[in-house]
Amino acid sequence: GIGKCVALDLARRNARTILACRSRERGQAAGEEIRAATGNPAVLLRLLDTSSLASVRAFAQAVLREEKRLDVLGNNAGLTGLPFAITPEGLERTFATNYLGPFLLTNLLLG
């Protein structure tokens, strides 16, 4: 998707690139593919579920702790067409994933 294409382009430019993925397996596969295509070893996987505000907070804290700087943030997580569901935090899943999580992440990383 769009996120993988953006990550591939950034890695081609020799950028340290963090893949923020909900699925460890899919994220590892994407990271391996991007590293192989670009020769850039600095493509990292970090788990993030934007439907969970706790996950967003943990991810942001780790980035702020581990990274010297953040130049580009691409928010492109999204859900559509799934049945109505409420997250453990009491939020509607699609709204949390598509809007609340990315909004919180951006604000936490603004520094």
Side-chain angles (χ1 to χ4, degrees):
I2 292 170
K4 187 175 173 185
C5 289
V6 169
L8 181 61
D9 185 62
L10 291 170
R12 279 194 178 119
R13 296 168 190 251
N14 207 34
R16 180 175 169 84
T17 305
I18 300 171
L19 305 178
C21 300
R22 196 172 26 236
S23 164
R24 181 178 304 277
E25 295 76 25
R26 290 176 58 196
Q28 285 175 334
E32 290 170 11
E33 183 181 331
I34 292 169
R35 282 188 293 276
T38 65
N40 183 345
V43 177
L44 313 170
L45 172 63
R46 299 289 182 263
L47 297 181
L48 171 62
D49 179 355
T50 58
S51 74
S52 164
L53 301 186
S55 175
V56 170
R57 289 181 194 284
F59 176 85
Q61 287 174 352
V63 168
L64 292 171
R65 183 179 57 249
E66 296 169 7
E67 302 300 324
K68 294 177 187 169
R69 59 192 259 192
L70 179 65
D71 295 311
V72 176
L73 174 64
N75 284 320
N76 72 308
L79 291 175
T80 186
L82 296 178
F84 178 84
I86 299 295
T87 69
E89 295 164 311
L91 305 167
E92 194 280 318
R93 177 179 53 190
T94 302
F95 186 59
T97 301
N98 295 349
Y99 299 100
L100 298 177
F103 180 83
L104 177 61
L105 179 62
T106 300
N107 280 276
L108 291 172
L109 294 176
L110 280 174

